[in-house]
PDB file of all heavy atoms in Angstrom:
ATOM      1  N   LEU A 291       0.812  -1.226   0.006  1.00 95.00           N
ATOM      2  CA  LEU A 291       0.001   0.023  -0.011  1.00 95.00           C
ATOM      3  C   LEU A 291       0.833   1.350  -0.052  1.00 95.00           C
ATOM      4  O   LEU A 291       0.562   2.256  -0.785  1.00 95.00           O
ATOM      5  CB  LEU A 291      -0.959   0.061   1.209  1.00 95.00           C
ATOM      6  CG  LEU A 291      -2.211   0.930   1.119  1.00 95.00           C
ATOM      7  CD1 LEU A 291      -2.962   0.662  -0.159  1.00 95.00           C
ATOM      8  CD2 LEU A 291      -3.114   0.677   2.306  1.00 95.00           C
ATOM      9  N   PRO A 292       1.877   1.363   0.867  1.00 96.00           N
ATOM     10  CA  PRO A 292       2.770   2.624   0.747  1.00 96.00           C
ATOM     11  C   PRO A 292       3.307   2.856  -0.734  1.00 96.00           C
ATOM     12  O   PRO A 292       3.207   4.081  -1.108  1.00 96.00           O
ATOM     13  CB  PRO A 292       3.957   2.293   1.668  1.00 96.00           C
ATOM     14  CG  PRO A 292       3.342   1.341   2.603  1.00 96.00           C
ATOM     15  CD  PRO A 292       2.429   0.426   1.831  1.00 96.00           C
ATOM     16  N   THR A 293       3.770   1.836  -1.422  1.00 96.00           N
ATOM     17  CA  THR A 293       4.168   2.025  -2.805  1.00 96.00           C
ATOM     18  C   THR A 293       3.047   2.450  -3.639  1.00 96.00           C
ATOM     19  O   THR A 293       3.211   3.334  -4.547  1.00 96.00           O
ATOM     20  CB  THR A 293       4.835   0.660  -3.290  1.00 96.00           C
ATOM     21  OG1 THR A 293       5.849   0.275  -2.419  1.00 96.00           O
ATOM     22  CG2 THR A 293       5.377   0.865  -4.729  1.00 96.00           C
ATOM     23  N   THR A 294       1.846   1.778  -3.520  1.00 95.00           N
ATOM     24  CA  THR A 294       0.791   2.093  -4.314  1.00 95.00           C
ATOM     25  C   THR A 294       0.209   3.514  -4.097  1.00 95.00           C
ATOM     26  O   THR A 294       0.011   4.165  -5.163  1.00 95.00           O
ATOM     27  CB  THR A 294      -0.415   1.151  -4.018  1.00 95.00           C
ATOM     28  OG1 THR A 294      -0.051  -0.274  -4.153  1.00 95.00           O
ATOM     29  CG2 THR A 294      -1.667   1.497  -4.905  1.00 95.00           C
ATOM     30  N   ILE A 295       0.169   4.021  -2.885  1.00 96.00           N
ATOM     31  CA  ILE A 295      -0.229   5.395  -2.690  1.00 96.00           C
ATOM     32  C   ILE A 295       0.803   6.318  -3.323  1.00 96.00           C
ATOM     33  O   ILE A 295       0.460   7.367  -3.889  1.00 96.00           O
ATOM     34  CB  ILE A 295      -0.301   5.638  -1.145  1.00 96.00           C
ATOM     35  CG1 ILE A 295      -1.517   4.888  -0.630  1.00 96.00           C
ATOM     36  CG2 ILE A 295      -0.506   7.153  -0.876  1.00 96.00           C
ATOM     37  CD1 ILE A 295      -1.585   4.789   0.897  1.00 96.00           C
ATOM     38  N   ALA A 296       2.116   6.116  -3.135  1.00 97.00           N
ATOM     39  CA  ALA A 296       3.157   6.988  -3.808  1.00 97.00           C
ATOM     40  C   ALA A 296       3.014   6.844  -5.215  1.00 97.00           C
ATOM     41  O   ALA A 296       3.226   7.974  -5.912  1.00 97.00           O
ATOM     42  CB  ALA A 296       4.551   6.478  -3.332  1.00 97.00           C
ATOM     43  N   ALA A 297       2.755   5.686  -5.869  1.00 96.00           N
ATOM     44  CA  ALA A 297       2.672   5.708  -7.334  1.00 96.00           C
ATOM     45  C   ALA A 297       1.501   6.481  -7.793  1.00 96.00           C
ATOM     46  O   ALA A 297       1.597   7.295  -8.809  1.00 96.00           O
ATOM     47  CB  ALA A 297       2.337   4.238  -7.692  1.00 96.00           C
ATOM     48  N   ILE A 298       0.297   6.433  -7.101  1.00 95.00           N
ATOM     49  CA  ILE A 298      -0.796   7.274  -7.505  1.00 95.00           C
ATOM     50  C   ILE A 298      -0.595   8.778  -7.441  1.00 95.00           C
ATOM     51  O   ILE A 298      -0.864   9.601  -8.301  1.00 95.00           O
ATOM     52  CB  ILE A 298      -2.060   6.861  -6.628  1.00 95.00           C
ATOM     53  CG1 ILE A 298      -2.527   5.556  -6.949  1.00 95.00           C
ATOM     54  CG2 ILE A 298      -3.153   7.792  -6.853  1.00 95.00           C
ATOM     55  CD1 ILE A 298      -3.502   4.877  -5.976  1.00 95.00           C
ATOM     56  N   LEU A 299       0.168   9.169  -6.263  1.00 96.00           N
ATOM     57  CA  LEU A 299       0.396  10.511  -6.069  1.00 96.00           C
ATOM     58  C   LEU A 299       1.496  11.060  -7.164  1.00 96.00           C
ATOM     59  O   LEU A 299       1.313  12.136  -7.721  1.00 96.00           O
ATOM     60  CB  LEU A 299       1.024  10.796  -4.634  1.00 96.00           C
ATOM     61  CG  LEU A 299       1.457  12.155  -4.294  1.00 96.00           C
ATOM     62  CD1 LEU A 299       0.325  13.113  -4.314  1.00 96.00           C
ATOM     63  CD2 LEU A 299       2.142  12.199  -2.847  1.00 96.00           C
ATOM     64  N   MET A 300       2.380  10.156  -7.483  1.00 96.00           N
ATOM     65  CA  MET A 300       3.290  10.566  -8.525  1.00 96.00           C
ATOM     66  C   MET A 300       2.708  10.791  -9.867  1.00 96.00           C
ATOM     67  O   MET A 300       3.089  11.677 -10.659  1.00 96.00           O
ATOM     68  CB  MET A 300       4.362   9.384  -8.644  1.00 96.00           C
ATOM     69  CG  MET A 300       5.655   9.779  -9.420  1.00 96.00           C
ATOM     70  SD  MET A 300       6.919   8.566  -9.203  1.00 96.00           S
ATOM     71  CE  MET A 300       8.208   9.309 -10.468  1.00 96.00           C
ATOM     72  N   LEU A 301       1.680   9.940 -10.286  1.00 96.00           N
ATOM     73  CA  LEU A 301       0.879  10.072 -11.357  1.00 96.00           C
ATOM     74  C   LEU A 301       0.111  11.399 -11.433  1.00 96.00           C
ATOM     75  O   LEU A 301       0.151  12.120 -12.414  1.00 96.00           O
ATOM     76  CB  LEU A 301      -0.022   8.824 -11.707  1.00 96.00           C
ATOM     77  CG  LEU A 301       0.606   7.604 -11.948  1.00 96.00           C
ATOM     78  CD1 LEU A 301      -0.466   6.470 -11.964  1.00 96.00           C
ATOM     79  CD2 LEU A 301       1.275   7.564 -13.342  1.00 96.00           C
ATOM     80  N   PHE A 302      -0.443  11.676 -10.253  1.00 95.00           N
ATOM     81  CA  PHE A 302      -1.271  12.919 -10.127  1.00 95.00           C
ATOM     82  C   PHE A 302      -0.380  14.203 -10.358  1.00 95.00           C
ATOM     83  O   PHE A 302      -0.654  15.127 -10.984  1.00 95.00           O
ATOM     84  CB  PHE A 302      -1.938  13.011  -8.820  1.00 95.00           C
ATOM     85  CG  PHE A 302      -2.665  14.227  -8.555  1.00 95.00           C
ATOM     86  CD1 PHE A 302      -3.802  14.605  -9.154  1.00 95.00           C
ATOM     87  CD2 PHE A 302      -2.082  15.162  -7.627  1.00 95.00           C
ATOM     88  CE1 PHE A 302      -4.341  15.791  -8.950  1.00 95.00           C
ATOM     89  CE2 PHE A 302      -2.682  16.380  -7.389  1.00 95.00           C
ATOM     90  CZ  PHE A 302      -3.947  16.669  -8.040  1.00 95.00           C
ATOM     91  N   VAL A 303       0.834  14.141  -9.670  1.00 95.00           N
ATOM     92  CA  VAL A 303       1.802  15.246  -9.811  1.00 95.00           C
ATOM     93  C   VAL A 303       2.300  15.394 -11.167  1.00 95.00           C
ATOM     94  O   VAL A 303       2.450  16.618 -11.738  1.00 95.00           O
ATOM     95  CB  VAL A 303       2.973  15.119  -8.728  1.00 95.00           C
ATOM     96  CG1 VAL A 303       4.037  16.288  -9.021  1.00 95.00           C
ATOM     97  CG2 VAL A 303       2.485  15.133  -7.309  1.00 95.00           C
ATOM     98  N   THR A 304       2.472  14.347 -11.881  1.00 96.00           N
ATOM     99  CA  THR A 304       2.894  14.302 -13.239  1.00 96.00           C
ATOM    100  C   THR A 304       1.867  15.027 -14.169  1.00 96.00           C
ATOM    101  O   THR A 304       2.144  15.814 -15.080  1.00 96.00           O
ATOM    102  CB  THR A 304       3.229  13.006 -13.796  1.00 96.00           C
ATOM    103  OG1 THR A 304       4.162  12.359 -13.002  1.00 96.00           O
ATOM    104  CG2 THR A 304       3.765  13.028 -15.182  1.00 96.00           C
ATOM    105  N   TYR A 305       0.555  14.635 -13.856  1.00 95.00           N
ATOM    106  CA  TYR A 305      -0.585  15.324 -14.613  1.00 95.00           C
ATOM    107  C   TYR A 305      -0.650  16.843 -14.264  1.00 95.00           C
ATOM    108  O   TYR A 305      -0.693  17.621 -15.387  1.00 95.00           O
ATOM    109  CB  TYR A 305      -1.889  14.665 -14.003  1.00 95.00           C
ATOM    110  CG  TYR A 305      -3.157  15.364 -14.493  1.00 95.00           C
ATOM    111  CD1 TYR A 305      -3.661  14.879 -15.785  1.00 95.00           C
ATOM    112  CD2 TYR A 305      -3.825  16.314 -13.839  1.00 95.00           C
ATOM    113  CE1 TYR A 305      -4.866  15.389 -16.230  1.00 95.00           C
ATOM    114  CE2 TYR A 305      -4.971  16.831 -14.302  1.00 95.00           C
ATOM    115  CZ  TYR A 305      -5.456  16.339 -15.568  1.00 95.00           C
ATOM    116  OH  TYR A 305      -6.523  17.003 -16.080  1.00 95.00           O
ATOM    117  N   LYS A 306      -0.349  17.330 -13.124  1.00 94.00           N
ATOM    118  CA  LYS A 306      -0.360  18.705 -12.781  1.00 94.00           C
ATOM    119  C   LYS A 306       0.828  19.366 -13.441  1.00 94.00           C
ATOM    120  O   LYS A 306       0.783  20.538 -13.765  1.00 94.00           O
ATOM    121  CB  LYS A 306      -0.440  18.929 -11.237  1.00 94.00           C
ATOM    122  CG  LYS A 306      -1.597  18.367 -10.577  1.00 94.00           C
ATOM    123  CD  LYS A 306      -2.948  18.797 -11.129  1.00 94.00           C
ATOM    124  CE  LYS A 306      -3.229  20.265 -10.801  1.00 94.00           C
ATOM    125  NZ  LYS A 306      -4.628  20.694 -11.233  1.00 94.00           N
ATOM    126  N   PHE A 307       1.931  18.661 -13.322  1.00 93.00           N
ATOM    127  CA  PHE A 307       3.231  19.136 -13.977  1.00 93.00           C
ATOM    128  C   PHE A 307       2.866  19.441 -15.528  1.00 93.00           C
ATOM    129  O   PHE A 307       3.364  20.465 -16.079  1.00 93.00           O
ATOM    130  CB  PHE A 307       4.244  17.989 -13.980  1.00 93.00           C
ATOM    131  CG  PHE A 307       5.654  18.575 -13.557  1.00 93.00           C
ATOM    132  CD1 PHE A 307       6.464  17.877 -12.666  1.00 93.00           C
ATOM    133  CD2 PHE A 307       6.098  19.685 -14.180  1.00 93.00           C
ATOM    134  CE1 PHE A 307       7.659  18.303 -12.393  1.00 93.00           C
ATOM    135  CE2 PHE A 307       7.448  20.223 -13.864  1.00 93.00           C
ATOM    136  CZ  PHE A 307       8.182  19.474 -12.933  1.00 93.00           C
ATOM    137  N   HIS A 308       2.274  18.525 -16.201  1.00 94.00           N
ATOM    138  CA  HIS A 308       1.995  18.688 -17.611  1.00 94.00           C
ATOM    139  C   HIS A 308       1.075  19.925 -17.762  1.00 94.00           C
ATOM    140  O   HIS A 308       1.319  20.595 -18.718  1.00 94.00           O
ATOM    141  CB  HIS A 308       1.306  17.383 -18.116  1.00 94.00           C
ATOM    142  CG  HIS A 308       0.967  17.483 -19.566  1.00 94.00           C
ATOM    143  ND1 HIS A 308       1.582  16.584 -20.480  1.00 94.00           N
ATOM    144  CD2 HIS A 308       0.223  18.317 -20.406  1.00 94.00           C
ATOM    145  CE1 HIS A 308       1.168  16.851 -21.728  1.00 94.00           C
ATOM    146  NE2 HIS A 308       0.358  17.887 -21.767  1.00 94.00           N
ATOM    147  N   GLU A 309       0.163  20.047 -16.972  1.00 92.00           N
ATOM    148  CA  GLU A 309      -0.911  21.192 -17.058  1.00 92.00           C
ATOM    149  C   GLU A 309      -0.019  22.578 -16.906  1.00 92.00           C
ATOM    150  O   GLU A 309      -0.281  23.514 -17.583  1.00 92.00           O
ATOM    151  CB  GLU A 309      -1.846  21.230 -15.938  1.00 92.00           C
ATOM    152  CG  GLU A 309      -2.984  20.281 -16.231  1.00 92.00           C
ATOM    153  CD  GLU A 309      -4.130  20.409 -15.201  1.00 92.00           C
ATOM    154  OE1 GLU A 309      -3.851  20.873 -14.083  1.00 92.00           O
ATOM    155  OE2 GLU A 309      -5.272  20.126 -15.553  1.00 92.00           O
ATOM    156  N   GLU A 310       0.967  22.538 -16.032  1.00 92.00           N
ATOM    157  CA  GLU A 310       1.704  23.745 -15.734  1.00 92.00           C
ATOM    158  C   GLU A 310       2.734  24.113 -16.760  1.00 92.00           C
ATOM    159  O   GLU A 310       2.831  25.314 -17.181  1.00 92.00           O
ATOM    160  CB  GLU A 310       2.637  23.559 -14.416  1.00 92.00           C
ATOM    161  CG  GLU A 310       3.113  24.795 -13.799  1.00 92.00           C
ATOM    162  CD  GLU A 310       2.079  25.676 -13.223  1.00 92.00           C
ATOM    163  OE1 GLU A 310       1.037  25.230 -12.873  1.00 92.00           O
ATOM    164  OE2 GLU A 310       2.399  26.944 -13.153  1.00 92.00           O
ATOM    165  N   LEU A 311       3.253  23.137 -17.448  1.00 91.00           N
ATOM    166  CA  LEU A 311       4.264  23.363 -18.470  1.00 91.00           C
ATOM    167  C   LEU A 311       3.766  23.376 -19.906  1.00 91.00           C
ATOM    168  O   LEU A 311       4.402  24.039 -20.765  1.00 91.00           O
ATOM    169  CB  LEU A 311       5.473  22.392 -18.371  1.00 91.00           C
ATOM    170  CG  LEU A 311       6.286  22.436 -17.160  1.00 91.00           C
ATOM    171  CD1 LEU A 311       7.341  21.375 -17.077  1.00 91.00           C
ATOM    172  CD2 LEU A 311       6.956  23.774 -16.964  1.00 91.00           C
ATOM    173  N   PHE A 312       2.735  22.709 -20.085  1.00 90.00           N
ATOM    174  CA  PHE A 312       2.201  22.543 -21.457  1.00 90.00           C
ATOM    175  C   PHE A 312       0.760  23.131 -21.612  1.00 90.00           C
ATOM    176  O   PHE A 312       0.569  24.328 -21.610  1.00 90.00           O
ATOM    177  CB  PHE A 312       2.235  21.197 -21.959  1.00 90.00           C
ATOM    178  CG  PHE A 312       3.627  20.542 -21.940  1.00 90.00           C
ATOM    179  CD1 PHE A 312       3.955  19.380 -21.299  1.00 90.00           C
ATOM    180  CD2 PHE A 312       4.726  21.293 -22.497  1.00 90.00           C
ATOM    181  CE1 PHE A 312       5.199  18.871 -21.245  1.00 90.00           C
ATOM    182  CE2 PHE A 312       6.031  20.672 -22.483  1.00 90.00           C
ATOM    183  CZ  PHE A 312       6.270  19.482 -21.804  1.00 90.00           C
ATOM    184  N   ASN A 313      -0.191  22.234 -21.441  1.00 83.00           N
ATOM    185  CA  ASN A 313      -1.623  22.596 -21.660  1.00 83.00           C
ATOM    186  C   ASN A 313      -2.481  21.584 -20.961  1.00 83.00           C
ATOM    187  O   ASN A 313      -2.059  20.403 -20.579  1.00 83.00           O
ATOM    188  CB  ASN A 313      -2.046  22.847 -22.970  1.00 83.00           C
ATOM    189  CG  ASN A 313      -1.802  21.614 -23.866  1.00 83.00           C
ATOM    190  OD1 ASN A 313      -2.256  20.446 -23.570  1.00 83.00           O
ATOM    191  ND2 ASN A 313      -0.958  21.716 -24.886  1.00 83.00           N
ATOM    192  N   LYS A 314      -3.676  22.008 -20.621  1.00 85.00           N
ATOM    193  CA  LYS A 314      -4.627  20.989 -19.887  1.00 85.00           C
ATOM    194  C   LYS A 314      -5.276  20.045 -20.896  1.00 85.00           C
ATOM    195  O   LYS A 314      -5.651  18.860 -20.470  1.00 85.00           O
ATOM    196  CB  LYS A 314      -5.668  21.833 -19.330  1.00 85.00           C
ATOM    197  CG  LYS A 314      -5.285  22.730 -18.077  1.00 85.00           C
ATOM    198  CD  LYS A 314      -6.418  23.434 -17.424  1.00 85.00           C
ATOM    199  CE  LYS A 314      -5.985  24.231 -16.234  1.00 85.00           C
ATOM    200  NZ  LYS A 314      -7.082  24.926 -15.606  1.00 85.00           N
ATOM    201  N   LYS A 315      -5.237  20.300 -22.119  1.00 86.00           N
ATOM    202  CA  LYS A 315      -5.953  19.434 -23.072  1.00 86.00           C
ATOM    203  C   LYS A 315      -5.453  17.956 -23.144  1.00 86.00           C
ATOM    204  O   LYS A 315      -6.182  17.013 -23.061  1.00 86.00           O
ATOM    205  CB  LYS A 315      -5.838  19.985 -24.508  1.00 86.00           C
ATOM    206  CG  LYS A 315      -6.752  19.322 -25.481  1.00 86.00           C
ATOM    207  CD  LYS A 315      -6.751  19.978 -26.898  1.00 86.00           C
ATOM    208  CE  LYS A 315      -7.646  19.237 -27.779  1.00 86.00           C
ATOM    209  NZ  LYS A 315      -7.557  19.828 -29.199  1.00 86.00           N
ATOM    210  N   TYR A 316      -4.100  17.839 -23.147  1.00 90.00           N
ATOM    211  CA  TYR A 316      -3.479  16.479 -23.229  1.00 90.00           C
ATOM    212  C   TYR A 316      -2.794  16.048 -21.950  1.00 90.00           C
ATOM    213  O   TYR A 316      -1.897  15.270 -21.971  1.00 90.00           O
ATOM    214  CB  TYR A 316      -2.600  16.362 -24.372  1.00 90.00           C
ATOM    215  CG  TYR A 316      -3.264  16.545 -25.750  1.00 90.00           C
ATOM    216  CD1 TYR A 316      -2.935  17.745 -26.640  1.00 90.00           C
ATOM    217  CD2 TYR A 316      -4.269  15.689 -26.215  1.00 90.00           C
ATOM    218  CE1 TYR A 316      -3.686  17.827 -27.765  1.00 90.00           C
ATOM    219  CE2 TYR A 316      -4.937  15.858 -27.398  1.00 90.00           C
ATOM    220  CZ  TYR A 316      -4.614  16.932 -28.181  1.00 90.00           C
ATOM    221  OH  TYR A 316      -5.275  17.145 -29.321  1.00 90.00           O
TER     222      TYR A 316
END
């Protein structure tokens, strides 16, 4: 579970990272 939670959080931060540097569309 600790790894799973960290993996989910990392995916979410990557999503927000993309929004910040590129665009929300993709």
Side-chain angles (χ1 to χ4, degrees):
L291 202 54
T293 300
T294 302
I295 292 170
I298 293 169
L299 180 58
M300 195 170 174
L301 292 173
F302 174 74
V303 175
T304 305
Y305 176 84
K306 301 304 288 185
F307 221 141
H308 186 116
E309 280 189 339
E310 193 70 26
L311 293 179
F312 304 126
N313 52 60
K314 292 184 178 181
K315 186 176 181 181
Y316 298 115

